[in-house]
Amino acid sequence: LEPFLSLEVADAFRFGEQLASDVLLDFIWIDFGARGRLDDLLGRYWPRLRQGGLVLVHSTLTNSLTREWLEAMRTRSELGAGKFGQFATLSLLELHKLFQNAFSIFQKRGPDFSEPVHTEFP
């Protein structure tokens, strides 16, 4: 998988500034307590996320601090407005864990977005 994946260990709030301007991201994993700064962090990378790209944010459903942010994102998704535009959301519980036991996935979509079709067979 090495040709397809890149793990970067860096300050998440500054790393995007180091990327070449033509770099688009397919997947972003946010797994730290950004809580009050999630909007800021996501806002920095959202323009670099390709259409159909995914952002995974850990510990969103059962943490009261990030749950408030998640509910605001769900409202934005329904409106399709604001700095994140159109996107889809999915949240999942990790029932085998007592704490930090959920995550949410956001898929960037826009007016020209459509899911690819790779086969004609049933």
Side-chain angles (χ1 to χ4, degrees):
L1 292 175
E2 288 181 26
F4 305 104
L5 299 175
S6 174
L7 174 64
E8 303 292 339
V9 179
D11 180 316
F13 288 89
R14 294 192 181 132
F15 177 72
E17 299 165 4
Q18 302 169 16
L19 296 173
S21 60
D22 62 341
V23 171
L24 289 178
L25 305 171
D26 297 308
F27 182 75
I28 301 169
W29 183 301
I30 301 174
D31 190 15
F32 63 94
R35 191 178 50 114
R37 299 176 7 168
L38 275 169
D39 254 18
D40 178 30
L41 181 65
L42 198 54
R44 291 171 186 250
Y45 287 95
W46 197 259
R48 292 185 166 270
L49 188 65
R50 70 168 177 80
Q51 291 289 321
L54 302 171
V55 176
L56 184 145
V57 182
H58 190 239
S59 192
T60 50
L61 280 176
T62 59
N63 178 318
S64 62
L65 300 174
T66 51
R67 178 64 175 265
E68 183 178 332
W69 174 83
L70 173 62
E71 293 301 336
M73 287 297 286
R74 287 175 170 168
T75 299
R76 289 176 178 161
S77 173
E78 292 170 7
L79 298 175
K83 65 182 172 182
F84 301 117
Q86 297 175 348
F87 60 94
T89 67
L90 171 68
S91 296
L92 300 168
L93 286 171
E94 300 172 77
L95 296 176
H96 62 287
K97 296 169 65 180
L98 185 58
F99 299 104
Q100 297 185 354
N101 57 357
F103 60 92
S104 296
I105 302 169
F106 304 89
Q107 183 185 41
K108 185 176 183 178
R109 297 181 171 198
D112 299 327
F113 176 77
S114 66
E115 298 285 354
V117 176
H118 296 289
T119 185
E120 295 178 17
F121 303 106

